[in-house]
Amino acid sequence: MSPLITSILISSLSTGTIITMSSYHWLFAWFGLEMNTLAIIPLISKHHHPRATEAATKYFLTQAAAAATILFASTLNAWTSGQWSILHPTTLPVALMLLIALAMKLGLAPMHSWYPEVLQGITLPTALLMSTWQKFAPLTLLLMMFNELPQNILLTLGLLSTYIGGWAGLNQTQTRKIMAIF
């Protein structure tokens, strides 16, 4: 891949994150998340290897399912409240669907099974990019909704992620899987 294409992909990755982090409208937030997804897929499959292709496919399918859930929940929120605001999910089912979708995007504990497998099939610099930069946008959306979500569910999600990460990382020897677990 040429340096020009790589720089365009990195700049669109950062632009998607900035769009998501600065939006108060679910459609713009979804657009930024999808821009991130579409920018990282060529970086994942840059090395023409079957493991990289498998990782890109797993990543795409998981992120597409999470994006569809975000669109469905935000449409349901707009239908019940008449507004597309991120700060005000109207009902508990909408908030829970958004929490599940953002947990899938982040690779948190109950929805994390795709994450170690994807990181195992990609290069270390791309894994570092996915483990850091790719998490900023969904985490920002989760923090924007923090006051509207039930606190015990967020606490359970955090504790479950910590416990599963600790237990799964005990006998692990592969660096990328350790990064995915923690």
Side-chain angles (χ1 to χ4, degrees):
M1 185 178 300
S2 72
L4 178 65
I5 293 174
T6 304
S7 65
I8 289 172
L9 290 173
I10 296 294
S11 66
S12 64
L13 185 68
S14 61
T15 303
T17 302
I18 291 169
I19 288 171
T20 302
M21 291 175 78
S22 63
S23 66
Y24 287 96
H25 194 278
W26 276 113
L27 199 59
F28 290 130
W30 171 81
F31 176 73
L33 289 171
E34 287 307 298
M35 199 169 167
N36 271 348
T37 299
L38 294 176
I40 197 86
I41 288 174
L43 293 174
I44 291 173
S45 60
K46 179 170 55 172
H47 299 286
H48 300 291
H49 191 271
R51 292 182 84 183
T53 306
E54 180 185 355
T57 304
K58 285 180 183 178
Y59 182 78
F60 175 74
L61 290 175
T62 305
Q63 297 300 309
T69 307
I70 288 173
L71 272 181
F72 178 67
S74 60
T75 304
L76 190 61
N77 187 37
W79 184 40
T80 56
S81 70
Q83 60 182 341
W84 286 85
S85 175
I86 290 175
L87 301 176
H88 305 290
T90 55
T91 60
L92 186 62
V94 169
L96 289 178
M97 277 192 288
L98 289 170
L99 179 68
I100 289 169
L102 291 174
M104 281 175 66
K105 286 246 179 224
L106 284 167
L108 291 180
M111 286 66 81
H112 75 288
S113 61
W114 64 273
Y115 196 62
E117 300 301 320
V118 169
L119 284 189
Q120 188 60 33
I122 61 179
T123 62
L124 192 59
T126 309
L128 288 171
L129 186 68
M130 247 181 76
S131 296
T132 55
W133 191 266
Q134 281 291 101
K135 305 296 181 199
F136 288 151
L139 192 60
T140 301
L141 290 176
L142 191 64
L143 291 176
M144 288 172 99
M145 294 176 34
F146 188 71
N147 293 331
E148 304 297 326
L149 293 173
Q151 302 301 316
N152 58 350
I153 292 175
L154 289 174
L155 182 65
T156 304
L157 198 64
L159 286 174
L160 191 62
S161 292
T162 303
Y163 288 138
I164 288 176
W167 286 329
L170 285 177
N171 288 329
Q172 195 57 254
T173 58
Q174 298 170 345
T175 307
R176 288 187 205 113
K177 282 199 177 183
I178 292 173
M179 283 176 33
I181 292 169
F182 293 108

